[in-house]
Amino acid sequence: MAEPATVRLTVAQALVRFLAAQYSERDGVRRRLVESVWGIFGHGNVAGLGQALVEERERMRFLQGRNEQAMVHAATGFARHSNRLRVQAVTTSIGPGATNLVTGAALATVNRLPVLLLPGDTFAGRPAEPVLQQLESPVAGDISVNDCLRPVSRWFDRITRPEQLVPAALRAMRVLTDPADTGAVTLALPQDVQAEAYDWPVGFFAERTWHVRRPPAEPDVLAAVAAALRTARRPLLVAGGGVRYAEAEAALATFAESTGVPVATTQAGKGALPGDHEQEVGGIGHTGTEVAADLARTADLVLGVGTRWSDFTTASHTLFAHPGVRFVNLNVAAPDSAKLAALALVADARAGLEALTEELAGHRVDDGYLAEYREGRAEADRQTAQLCAAPGPDDRPTQAQLLGELRAQLTAEDVIVNAAGSLPGDLHRHWRADNSRQYHLEYGYSCMGYEIPAAIGVKLASPGAGVWALVGDGTYLMLPGELVTAVQEGLAIRLVLVQNHGYASIGGLSEATGAERFGTDYRYRDAEGGYTGDPLPVDLAANAASLGLTVRRAATVGELREALAAARTASGPFCVYVETGPPAAGGPAPAAWWDVPVAEVSARPAARSARAEYERRAAHRVRHL
């Protein structure tokens, strides 16, 4: 008997079966594309996708989340640690479940990381209006809360008829596997349509492999870039996240070693060269090293590889100060390659670096330049060693000393996860990453609450890795609930919970801009609206324990060492809770400026002083045209 040309399934069943048959391929390596589905069920997805995931449970893994935003963060962490070659989907109910996706979707799209969002939607058939959680718009009948996801999605569609799923699902896979134009992809699914049956062509469910391309460099542009590098006396390479996603680390090392060009890294690119590599000069920009900032200020040619040139990297366009500086951007995304009026080399980072190395065969920077930046790097290492060196075992550690102790514990197979607060600055400046996979910083959106769910995503992507989530008290209070998911799934993530009783990073910024740390502390208010010296009686360690984690409190350096060692060998989720002391005296100031506007007029002396400093700094801004 001939195989039927169609199979009758609901829309939700068809979607899950389709997703289970998708694969990605690059460099001849084929892998499952959509590995699993995160979900919180409510009306709008429980009877559609919920039923389909039960029916297709042998084909598709389900992960139960606790917060919709956190589920997207977990999927984003999974995608990043998979170098954008594997993704996870997220399903929610309609109403608040769907709108809670917006922050996570924005983070994924800003960072060019693929996630598939499947929010429930109100009835397409409109049997009764308004239904529960329906947004009634005075200007259009087809608007729902899911339309909030349009500006933060790389691609959006609403499936109002079953047959629309076929082209929409195929388009979604194309965007998810695009190396240049990816991010959050949203398929809004009205709850009645999810449950509707349709006769699907069997070819829709056949295994399909999506090739992730490596576009090569154009020969003429490549020759022009090589010519520019040959004439540069002080070239600097800035490596971004595109190096990692293209798996171009080896190609970058070969280029740097053969040419002698120093390499500075963005937050997303850190580890692209190992921290002990001779050409690696540390982080670039506001949170970078002084040696990298000095090289940037005097560079006559800057080669950006896989970076989108955020304001933290360019120091709000004040960092690259050489009067004749030229930019070359090697980037798979054409819009990024054109930034800073650069000579645009649109290509895959690995393919472009390999071709450029061959084109520059025999060329090398002057020995004097090599000696200069290596001495600067050595001085940066001496400063880091001094700042991160722990005092006696009975002393309370500073945050930098905490990082020094943690760095001593980690191996090249471990991963640190962080996103917001003062930790990203300390990590970018002082952490020496063994490789790009060890350093997982989300700084395109710098979203508080990212660390814990992202650590779960990283652990799911790489079960054998030791995954450490570095979390400040402010970030912890945003999204701790996914710790329950780690317990439920038996995921041995290691949480390092740093308590400094307030928003330390934004408090410092508030003080620098004349706002006098207003509203940035976790302390009792006095009668005048100020703060007393007493912290609130909040016990975050007890909270973590109540969510199922094993917790070790560390009040001293000695206890911290013991707690980190215990975390390393723990078989389940583990929390190291540490109260840090004040920053070490003489710690380095930011290597470069960052533009945060200050009140132009004020009655307060602190604001007037901050405004004068702002105008002095802003005068150094350069428009690269």
Side-chain angles (χ1 to χ4, degrees):
M1 181 179 297
E3 184 178 348
T6 61
V7 57
R8 192 163 182 80
L9 299 168
T10 69
V11 168
Q13 293 163 357
L15 177 57
V16 174
R17 189 173 295 189
F18 168 83
L19 295 177
Q22 306 306 300
Y23 292 80
S24 71
E25 175 274 323
R26 186 168 69 181
D27 302 330
V29 179
R30 186 172 181 259
R31 58 192 62 76
R32 179 84 172 263
L33 177 57
V34 185
E35 191 270 353
S36 50
V37 176
W38 286 92
I40 296 176
F41 292 121
H43 83 93
N45 69 339
V46 64
L49 277 168
Q51 187 280 330
L53 286 163
V54 171
E55 189 152 320
E56 303 292 336
R57 67 172 66 185
E58 298 301 318
R59 290 186 171 95
M60 182 64 69
R61 181 181 182 181
F62 175 74
L63 297 162
Q64 182 181 358
R66 268 71 194 179
N67 176 280
E68 292 86 358
Q69 177 182 325
M71 292 193 299
V72 188
H73 291 336
T76 303
F78 178 91
R80 174 173 174 169
H81 203 69
S82 302
N83 287 341
R84 305 193 297 195
L85 298 170
R86 294 186 295 164
V87 303
Q88 293 178 321
V90 177
T91 180
T92 70
S93 64
I94 64 176
T99 51
N100 279 352
L101 295 173
V102 172
T103 297
L107 182 147
T109 297
V110 165
N111 286 284
R112 322 281 173 83
L113 292 167
V115 296
L116 177 60
L117 307 182
L118 305 172
D121 212 328
T122 50
F123 287 84
R126 304 182 189 178
E129 287 195 324
V131 297
L132 181 64
Q133 297 177 335
Q134 178 177 341
L135 176 70
E136 293 186 89
S137 170
V139 298
D142 61 348
I143 290 176
S144 79
V145 295
N146 282 336
D147 289 283
C148 295
L149 288 161
R150 288 183 184 270
V152 294
S153 297
R154 185 59 64 186
W155 192 67
F156 177 99
D157 201 357
R158 179 178 282 115
I159 310 303
T160 58
R161 292 179 56 85
E163 60 267 32
Q164 293 173 352
L165 180 65
V166 174
L170 293 171
R171 176 72 179 272
M173 297 305 106
R174 185 200 67 75
V175 176
L176 290 171
T177 55
D178 192 306
D181 191 25
T182 193
V185 172
T186 300
L187 297 180
L189 301 169
Q191 58 177 313
D192 52 345
V193 176
Q194 288 183 48
E196 189 173 342
Y198 184 73
D199 294 321
W200 304 93
V202 293
F204 184 53
F205 307 112
E207 288 190 359
R208 192 181 305 266
T209 301
W210 298 85
H211 173 67
V212 180
R213 56 195 170 87
R214 286 193 182 277
E218 295 180 70
D220 291 349
V221 181
L222 183 68
V225 171
L229 279 164
R230 287 193 191 96
T231 60
R233 296 179 60 84
R234 300 181 63 83
L236 173 67
L237 189 151
V238 175
V243 175
R244 171 183 179 155
Y245 303 138
E247 298 174 342
E249 293 91 341
L252 175 62
T254 300
F255 175 86
E257 290 160 7
S258 64
T259 63
V261 174
V263 176
T265 57
T266 68
Q267 286 280 19
K270 193 169 180 68
L273 278 187
D276 59 358
H277 195 282
E278 285 191 333
Q279 268 69 53
E280 206 267 0
V281 295
I284 186 75
H286 179 65
T287 54
T289 63
E290 194 62 47
V291 58
D294 287 343
L295 291 170
R297 292 183 183 104
T298 59
D300 56 358
L301 186 140
V302 181
L303 171 59
V305 182
T307 176
R308 61 190 187 92
W309 292 117
S310 76
D311 64 340
F312 254 62
T313 301
T314 66
S316 302
H317 291 269
T318 63
L319 186 55
F320 301 101
H322 189 285
V325 64
R326 295 172 294 167
F327 291 87
V328 174
N329 290 332
L330 166 56
N331 204 299
V332 72
D336 289 332
S337 70
K339 289 176 179 175
L340 301 175
L343 175 57
L345 184 60
V346 182
D348 169 79
R350 192 172 86 181
L353 282 169
E354 289 173 345
L356 194 54
T357 301
E358 184 176 349
E359 191 81 13
L360 287 168
H363 173 74
R364 193 167 174 79
V365 300
D366 292 340
D367 289 344
Y369 188 45
L370 285 167
E372 175 192 336
Y373 72 70
R374 286 175 179 171
E375 175 54 35
R377 165 59 193 271
E379 176 57 32
D381 285 347
R382 286 191 290 269
Q383 189 179 76
T384 288
Q386 181 180 11
L387 196 66
C388 296
D394 297 328
D395 292 326
R396 176 183 292 184
T398 65
Q399 182 166 282
Q401 291 161 352
L402 162 64
L403 294 182
E405 292 298 315
L406 181 62
R407 185 66 190 89
Q409 292 274 354
L410 264 63
T411 70
E413 288 71 41
D414 288 317
V415 185
I416 57 166
V417 182
N418 187 242
S422 58
L423 278 164
D426 286 349
L427 286 163
H428 197 208
R429 185 175 296 114
H430 302 302
W431 192 271
R432 296 291 178 254
D434 292 326
N435 54 66
S436 61
R437 292 176 68 78
Q438 184 189 68
Y439 191 86
H440 185 116
L441 264 285
E442 186 287 298
Y443 217 56
Y445 211 50
S446 188
C447 185
M448 295 177 69
Y450 174 82
E451 292 90 339
I452 291 171
I456 291 172
V458 171
K459 189 68 174 177
L460 290 168
S462 188
V467 183
W468 301 76
L470 276 64
V471 179
D473 50 294
T475 282
Y476 179 85
L477 287 168
M478 290 279 184
L479 284 175
E482 233 55 44
L483 290 174
V484 178
T485 300
V487 173
Q488 183 178 41
E489 296 291 334
L491 300 173
I493 64 169
R494 292 116 186 214
L495 172 65
V496 180
L497 178 50
V498 185
Q499 173 65 280
N500 54 28
H501 301 287
Y503 301 108
S505 174
I506 206 67
L509 182 62
S510 171
E511 187 171 43
T513 56
E516 303 172 54
R517 293 184 177 264
F518 179 74
T520 63
D521 212 343
Y522 295 155
R523 297 179 187 273
Y524 286 104
R525 289 287 182 94
D526 60 26
E528 285 74 36
Y531 299 104
T532 71
D534 301 320
L536 297 174
V538 176
D539 191 341
L540 299 184
N543 180 266
S546 76
L547 296 178
L549 270 67
T550 301
V551 177
R552 287 281 293 270
R553 298 173 185 259
T556 67
V557 170
E559 291 174 354
L560 174 62
R561 289 171 182 163
E562 294 174 359
L564 292 174
R568 166 164 289 289
T569 59
S571 59
F574 195 101
C575 172
V576 175
Y577 174 87
V578 55
E579 287 195 60
T580 57
W593 188 56
W594 181 46
D595 189 347
V596 178
V598 177
E600 191 169 358
V601 295
S602 174
R604 302 186 69 83
R608 293 199 299 271
S609 175
R611 179 67 190 191
E613 176 64 10
Y614 175 82
E615 291 175 352
R616 185 184 73 81
R617 294 278 198 164
H620 295 283
R621 194 192 315 273
V622 177
R623 295 292 186 187
H624 300 287
L625 301 172

